[in-house]
Amino acid sequence: MTNIVKANQLTKTFGKVKALDHCDLEIKKGEIFGYLGPSGAGKTTTIKLLTGQLHSDSGEVTVLGKDPFSPDIKKKIGIMSDMSGLYEKMTVYENLDIFADIYGIKDKKKKIRRTLEAVELLDAARKKVEKLSRGMKQRLVFARTIIHEPGLLFLDEPTANLDPATADEIRDLIRKLNREGATVFLTTHNMEEADELCHRVALLNRGSIVESGSPEELKLKYSRKRVVITTGEGKKEVPLEREALLKSLEQAGEVLMIHSEEPSLRDVFLTLTKEEQ
Ligand SMILES: Nc1ncnc2c1ncn2[C@@H]1O[C@H](COP(=O)(O)OP(=O)(O)OP(=O)(O)O)[C@@H](O)[C@H]1O
């Protein structure tokens, strides 16, 4: 698969704070890539470096094969950071109209309509933004991010501070866009979300990537490789190893349940971020 984003030894310092320390990243076309890390790990800084909003101290970045500061890149990527920048006194439609003009979109009426349909805000097109619920505002921010049909999306905590149902809607939207061909770079604090959505994740801690892989690979790698056997007498934990398992099963009375002790992505994250502290 083609690398759509490639960063090599990316480093950024703010005064004495090393926000990003020799980071390597490769994001492949068509994937949802999760960038996880505790607060202050350097996630937003990375997005800013990858989207031409900030210069690195050292290292190289290419986005869609080009320098992120090259003028035509902005039209090919979508960046969603927070809800700021919505014009509260204007309608949903007017907000998108402004962005359609910024991007120089032709046939903008049709495009705005299609985008509003995609985020299920068509019925609210004439509503003022100040009257929208938090979830609707987030969907409008999403609409603004995708109005120019970018093939690469940078979503910085797209479900932060949303109620569970609205967060689900946003995740469905991300999946839909990804199915339609968009590559997604996503930051999140929510490990269940990353597990559910992402094809691959990288764990960032204090400016360094400490682990990466698919959620399944990471869970397997950090699995304690133990099995819990439940019998009438209680539970027994045994190593996930043929001889030990067979012996325990032979010795056990009636076996009621056997299950492996898989770590969640959250467990992996906590193990790794704790180790680094
Ligand atoms: N413009 C800036 N000036 C000074 N320090 C900064 C600046 N931007 C980021 N930092 C510092 O760099 C570090 C990384 O910040 P960054 O915002 O990238 O983290 P983050 O992982 O996105 O955190 P969060 O999850 O809380 O958004 C932090 O210590 C932060 O205080």
Side-chain angles (χ1 to χ4, degrees):
M1 257 201 283
T2 333
N3 279 325
I4 246 184
V5 175
K6 194 164 166 45
N8 190 15
Q9 298 289 293
L10 208 54
T11 299
K12 179 71 190 176
T13 309
F14 297 105
K16 285 183 181 156
V17 179
K18 208 162 219 182
L20 213 59
D21 191 5
H22 295 90
C23 255
D24 291 334
L25 275 172
E26 282 184 358
I27 294 141
K28 308 206 183 299
K29 190 168 164 45
E31 73 178 347
I32 303 181
F33 181 86
Y35 201 49
L36 319 176
S39 226
K43 302 180 296 296
T44 304
T45 303
T46 308
I47 289 193
K48 287 184 176 166
L49 293 170
L50 298 181
T51 54
Q53 297 179 66
L54 199 64
H55 285 282
S56 65
D57 299 340
S58 59
E60 291 116 43
V61 192
T62 55
V63 172
L64 302 166
K66 292 188 174 171
D67 183 315
F69 283 90
S70 51
D72 53 336
I73 286 289
K74 296 273 188 303
K75 288 193 174 179
K76 294 180 179 165
I77 64 175
I79 309 166
M80 177 171 168
S81 47
D82 54 30
M83 287 186 203
S84 60
L86 286 181
Y87 300 103
E88 296 274 331
K89 299 282 174 203
M90 290 185 175
T91 66
V92 165
Y93 189 95
E94 286 162 352
N95 266 268
L96 285 191
D97 194 53
I98 290 174
F99 275 82
D101 284 342
I102 290 173
Y103 286 115
I105 292 171
K106 295 184 194 96
D107 209 1
K108 67 175 180 176
K109 263 191 178 166
K110 209 165 139 193
K111 200 58 92 42
I112 292 173
R113 200 187 153 80
R114 215 189 299 153
T115 309
L116 285 174
E117 250 168 13
V119 300
E120 292 177 23
L121 275 181
L122 198 54
D123 291 345
R126 302 283 158 212
K127 263 197 177 178
K128 278 195 179 168
V129 170
E130 62 186 2
K131 303 264 189 251
L132 301 182
S133 70
R134 198 175 173 82
M136 289 166 98
K137 280 187 188 176
Q138 188 72 332
R139 277 186 275 144
L140 178 55
V141 175
F142 220 108
R144 195 180 67 182
T145 311
I146 60 172
I147 182 117
H148 54 303
E149 298 180 331
L152 173 60
L153 299 176
F154 291 91
L155 310 177
D156 200 357
E157 297 185 38
T159 58
N161 307 316
L162 294 179
D163 67 82
T166 313
D168 268 348
E169 284 172 22
I170 297 293
R171 284 191 279 271
D172 284 345
L173 206 50
I174 296 171
R175 273 192 213 96
K176 187 171 103 182
L177 291 168
N178 177 251
R179 273 198 307 274
E180 288 167 2
T183 304
V184 180
F185 181 100
L186 166 92
T187 75
T188 180
H189 286 281
N190 182 336
M191 296 299 130
E192 285 75 34
E193 173 169 290
D195 199 353
E196 196 188 304
L197 269 185
C198 300
H199 301 112
R200 279 194 314 128
V201 296
L203 300 187
L204 187 74
N205 198 28
R206 297 173 171 209
S208 298
I209 292 177
V210 290
E211 193 54 278
S212 62
S214 71
E216 286 68 32
E217 278 165 359
L218 296 192
K219 284 186 284 183
L220 207 59
K221 183 169 172 186
Y222 290 88
S223 163
R224 289 171 57 230
K225 298 193 172 57
R226 317 239 353 137
V227 171
V228 175
I229 301 173
T230 308
T231 64
E233 280 110 59
K235 289 182 179 191
K236 191 180 171 196
E237 204 181 278
V238 293
L240 181 57
E241 188 261 312
R242 191 183 154 84
E243 293 303 317
L245 197 55
L246 286 174
K247 198 169 160 205
S248 298
L249 285 171
E250 272 167 17
Q251 287 168 354
E254 192 193 354
V255 176
L256 301 174
M257 199 162 54
I258 302 177
H259 68 267
S260 64
E261 289 279 270
E262 287 298 315
S264 64
L265 199 54
R266 185 168 181 276
D267 297 330
V268 175
F269 175 84
L270 289 174
T271 306
L272 286 165
T273 49
K274 228 184 280 162
E275 268 174 16
E276 292 288 310
Q277 273 161 19

